[in-house]
């Protein structure tokens, strides 16, 4: 970042400064029953303008850079007990390991190497939660593995509550949590036919687990693009209206708007830091074989024509309309260069005989990421932000 002041602290200072300047010490509040998302006052434009000016003055955009080989990586190995089988590519028989040894070098600044004790020190008596789908779970496992080795066995446990799981570092009174909510809004089976209905304007069933968290990292993208046989809903619903043929990206925008309203109405930026991680790219063209047998990153993004997912464009539009300061952690471009980092056929254990067989007969996972691997770098960026 090129700055020593943490992101959330800078946002807090900005908010307080703008408030003091604009209100001259007077307190303000919304009348009961008013939705702050819907209020459009001139003063909000001033706040947005100041925030935009602050954002434009950042000394470094960590999403722009290149991958550099570093033999001192990875920062943990495949023996981490918190890795699920589907992302433990070494245990599953992947023959190469160079995909573990690339670090991200932003243009114009340095991203600090992850230090577990430093991170836990910052998180002392705090909760950090990652909210989203299985790729968010991918990132959660990475973050837990980055810190767990410095914690004595008797001082770490994992607990489960509803759709959440939490790794506890007891000495630090710190929890690193994951909440399953791939749409953020509510997906329910309802009616006499037990159909899957995605409610674009309902969120509290998931959001009740997000209250009281100090740092929340959200993600929602992939489940909105599942099509044909893999679609994850039967109907979309908004209010009393049922939809069967709504464009998924229109639904995505409505769902994100519901999430934004909830954040505006329920979270306090002085208490909670909110980060939204951008969409993790998939390299599954050619029926999932675009990532198979890839051994190194693509060149610097400036020399590579990147695909910008539609979800990212919509997300930026929704965040732009928010008054609550949400930081967009853009990992899309940097990850687009890492088609070598996916499990491909090594998402399940392969014995010696299977490895000698024609691997083209197997399913290739070009969506999730091998661990150690790319999500470790996402977490290095996250650590730099907080």
């Amino acid at each position: 970042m090129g700055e020593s002041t943490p992101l959330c602290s800078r946002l807090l200072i900005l908010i307080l400064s703008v408030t003091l300047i604009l209100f001259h010490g007077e307190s303000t509040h919304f009348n009961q029953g008013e939705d702050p998302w819907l209020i459009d006052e001139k003063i909000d434009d001033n706040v947005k303008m100041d925030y935009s000016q602050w954002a434009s003055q950042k000394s470094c955009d960590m999403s722009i850079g290149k991958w550099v080989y570093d033999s001192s990586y990875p920062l943990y190995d495949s023996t981490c007990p918190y890795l699920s089988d589907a992302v433990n590519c070494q245990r599953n028989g992947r023959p190469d390991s160079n995909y573990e040894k690339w670090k991200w070098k932003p243009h114009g600044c340095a991203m600090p190497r992850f230090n577990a004790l430093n991170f836990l020190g910052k998180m002392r008596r705090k909760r950090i939660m990652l909210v989203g789908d299985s790729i968010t779970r991918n990132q959660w496992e990475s973050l837990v593995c980055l810190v767990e080795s410095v914690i004595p066995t008797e001082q770490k446990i994992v607990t489960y509550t509803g759709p959440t799981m939490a790794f506890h570092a007891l000495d630090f009174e710190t929890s690193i949590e994951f909440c399953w909510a791939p749409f953020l809004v509510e997906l329910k089976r309802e009616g006499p036919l037990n159909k899957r209905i995605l409610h674009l304007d309902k969120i509290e069933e998931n959001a009740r687990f997000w209250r009281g968290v100090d740092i929340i990292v959200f993600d929602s993208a992939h489940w909105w693009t599942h099509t044909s046989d893999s679609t994850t809903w039967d109907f979309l619903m908004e209010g009393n209206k049922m939809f069967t043929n709504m464009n998924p990206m229109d639904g995505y925008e409505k769902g994100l708007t519901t999430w934004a309203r909830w954040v505006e109405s329920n979270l306090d930026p002085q208490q909670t830091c909110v980060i939204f991680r951008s969409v993790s790219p998939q390299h599954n063209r050619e029926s999932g074989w675009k990532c198979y047998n890839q051994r190194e990153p693509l060149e610097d993004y400036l020399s590579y024509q990147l695909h910008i997912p539609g979800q990212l464009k919509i997300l930026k539009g929704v965040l732009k309309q928010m008054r609550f300061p949400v930081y967009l952690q853009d990992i899309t471009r940097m990850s687009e260069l890492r088609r070598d980092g996916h499990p491909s056929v090594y998402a399940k254990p392969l014995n010696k005989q299977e490895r000698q067989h024609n691997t083209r007969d197997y399913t290739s996972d070009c969506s999730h990421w091998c661990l150690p691997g790319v999500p470790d770098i996402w977490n290095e960026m996250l650590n730099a932000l907080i």
Side-chain angles (χ1 to χ4, degrees), residues 142-314:
S142 161
L143 187 55
V144 170
C145 287
L146 283 167
V147 304
E148 67 88 20
S149 64
V150 302
I151 305 170
T153 301
E154 66 277 8
Q155 292 297 324
K156 53 189 174 186
I157 60 172
V158 174
T159 60
Y160 303 84
T161 305
T164 71
M165 54 195 306
F167 172 86
H168 300 270
L170 301 181
D171 273 348
F172 291 87
E173 301 179 57
T174 295
S175 63
I176 301 172
E177 307 176 33
F178 165 69
C179 180
W180 174 260
F183 295 108
L184 301 182
V185 293
E186 299 175 14
L187 177 68
K188 299 180 178 180
R189 285 193 174 272
E190 297 177 351
L193 298 179
N194 201 31
K195 292 294 185 178
R196 300 166 300 171
I197 299 178
L198 182 59
H199 292 270
L200 300 175
D201 55 355
K202 294 184 178 180
I203 198 170
E204 184 58 36
E205 187 172 292
N206 296 325
R208 59 196 172 102
F209 294 98
W210 311 339
R211 300 178 187 275
V213 178
D214 299 282
I215 299 170
I216 313 180
V217 182
F218 289 99
D219 167 54
S220 183
H222 288 291
W223 280 47
W224 294 91
T225 59
H226 291 181
T227 56
S228 62
D229 294 337
S230 64
T231 185
T232 42
W233 65 75
D234 297 306
F235 301 102
L236 296 170
M237 193 166 183
E238 185 178 29
N240 295 321
K241 295 182 179 180
M242 191 87 73
F243 303 92
T244 57
N245 58 354
M246 180 185 290
N247 185 311
M249 289 299 94
D250 291 338
Y252 181 59
E253 185 172 15
K254 290 177 180 291
L256 282 185
T257 299
T258 297
W259 163 84
R261 287 173 175 164
W262 183 89
V263 169
E264 300 269 29
S265 300
N266 292 274
L267 298 183
D268 180 350
Q270 298 184 37
Q271 302 294 329
T272 305
C273 178
V274 178
I275 297 169
F276 208 113
R277 198 205 73 217
S278 68
V279 56
S280 170
Q282 302 180 76
H283 296 90
N284 57 2
R285 293 180 290 279
E286 301 174 12
S287 300
W289 288 98
K290 196 170 183 67
C291 71
Y292 173 66
N293 209 27
Q294 297 296 325
R295 299 298 177 90
E296 61 183 29
L298 294 165
E299 292 296 324
D300 186 288
Y301 87 96
L302 292 173
S303 60
Y304 176 68
Q305 186 65 40
L306 294 178
H307 168 68
I308 301 176
Q311 302 101 306
L312 181 54
K313 297 176 183 178
I314 292 171

Side-chain angles (χ1 to χ4, degrees), residues 2 15 37 39 59 71-72 86 111-112 127 141 144-145 154 184 229 260 316 319 338-339 349 351 378:
I15 293 167
W37 172 268
I39 295 176
S59 61
S71 60
S72 68
M111 191 161 68
R127 297 171 60 194
E141 291 184 13
V144 170
C145 287
E154 66 277 8
L184 301 182
D229 294 337
K316 287 182 176 180
L319 295 183
R338 290 303 308 275
R339 62 184 181 182
N351 59 38
W378 300 350

